[in-house]
Amino acid sequence: DVKVTQSSRYLVKRTGEKVFLECVQDMDHENMFWYRQDPGLGLRLIYFSYDVKMKEKGDIPEGYSVSREKKERFSLILESASTNQTSMYLCASRMGGRDTEAFFGQGTRLTVV
Amino acid sequence: AQSVTQLDSQVPVFEEAPVELRCNYSSSVSVYLFWYVQYPNQGLQLLLKYLSGSTLVKGINGFEAEFNKSQTSFHLRKPSVHISDTAEYFCAAVDFGNEKLTFGTGTRLTIIP
């Protein structure tokens, strides 16, 4: 079975801190994604990566950056956390190809205080 | 740009009754379409997908969806729901023109015993 693992299930950070959310997949997938999930807004794409060191902005990249130095790991970085970044963050991966299934991690619930 | 609209944010249904969850997409190009389910406190998992061919697609847990190109719809149906179907359901799409997987805002299905 494909496994997508997010490093933390729950995280509490202070305003202004630099925050790292880590995601690791074990199936050699080319594509990886970061979404945030908010009630009534569904999943909104922050960034995605279609290969190592390759990244593209999603629909809401402001305030975020990403890093993909190795194929299995995709990190989301909040440069200076703010309270409006309190949310559920979901990582996903899939094989290269638009028709393939995306596999999701369990999510990280981030609270910024 | 691709957008996905889920017309109902919440759908209550009596147990063993049929259900339809609606999804419309907007695209000037061909798309791949997906339905994902998120059970409470879990990540998303794939229910079914439409790539090409037969417009009626069968998925897991007795769900099916029908692709209608003229109405740009991809509605999800189940003839008889069970308590275990309580979850949030997301419609998603990928344009042929890019790699982005775009989600709708979700429909929360509540089963009434």
Side-chain angles (χ1 to χ4, degrees):
Chain A
D1 277 355
V2 174
K3 196 160 185 186
V4 179
T5 304
Q6 294 183 229
S7 54
S8 304
R9 196 76 194 267
Y10 300 94
L11 212 51
V12 180
K13 296 291 182 181
R14 294 196 181 279
T15 302
E17 276 193 76
K18 190 168 186 175
V19 181
F20 293 85
L21 302 184
E22 306 287 345
C23 175
V24 177
Q25 50 95 1
D26 65 358
M27 283 301 289
D28 204 35
H29 284 172
E30 283 82 9
N31 300 163
M32 295 188 76
F33 304 80
W34 275 107
Y35 293 88
R36 64 177 281 176
Q37 182 178 13
D38 300 288
L41 298 177
L43 276 71
R44 293 179 291 166
L45 182 64
I46 305 171
Y47 268 96
F48 69 101
S49 167
Y50 46 91
D51 208 340
V52 178
K53 296 189 189 291
M54 310 293 269
K55 61 186 179 186
E56 278 203 30
K57 292 181 180 179
D59 300 316
I60 52 163
E62 296 78 21
Y64 303 95
S65 62
V66 290
S67 171
R68 192 160 180 209
E69 296 296 318
K70 293 186 176 181
K71 195 172 187 180
E72 67 270 18
R73 186 180 297 270
F74 191 36
S75 303
L76 179 69
I77 304 154
L78 286 67
E79 297 292 342
S80 176
S82 64
T83 54
N84 62 14
Q85 293 178 308
T86 291
S87 186
M88 171 69 85
Y89 290 87
L90 294 173
C91 175
S93 75
R94 70 176 185 201
M95 289 193 307
R98 304 175 188 96
D99 59 341
T100 58
E101 176 182 357
F103 293 86
F104 283 80
Q106 295 282 76
T108 296
R109 184 164 295 282
L110 173 67
T111 303
V112 183
V113 298
Chain B
Q2 176 62 255
S3 75
V4 178
T5 303
Q6 292 184 246
L7 299 168
D8 305 298
S9 59
Q10 296 189 63
V11 173
V13 181
F14 285 104
E15 193 172 13
E16 298 184 4
V19 68
E20 178 180 84
L21 306 183
R22 297 180 292 169
C23 173
N24 288 88
Y25 66 93
S26 66
S27 178
S28 59
V29 299
S30 296
V31 295
Y32 294 129
L33 294 162
F34 305 79
W35 275 99
Y36 284 82
V37 60
Q38 185 179 34
Y39 297 107
N41 299 314
Q42 294 188 27
L44 278 73
Q45 57 184 274
L46 182 69
L47 266 181
L48 49 78
K49 63 182 178 182
Y50 172 78
L51 305 180
S52 65
S54 172
T55 57
L56 185 64
V57 180
K58 293 194 184 295
I60 61 171
N61 301 338
F63 283 93
E64 62 183 31
E66 185 153 21
F67 171 67
N68 187 318
K69 189 172 183 178
S70 63
Q71 296 188 8
T72 60
S73 68
F74 189 54
H75 300 334
L76 182 70
R77 300 186 184 105
K78 187 169 183 178
S80 176
V81 294
H82 188 265
I83 287 286
S84 59
D85 294 322
T86 296
E88 191 152 21
Y89 292 79
F90 292 93
C91 183
V94 179
D95 275 343
F96 276 17
N98 62 59
E99 303 284 338
K100 289 185 186 181
L101 178 59
T102 302
F103 284 83
T105 51
T107 298
R108 187 169 297 278
L109 177 62
T110 302
I111 310 301
I112 305 163

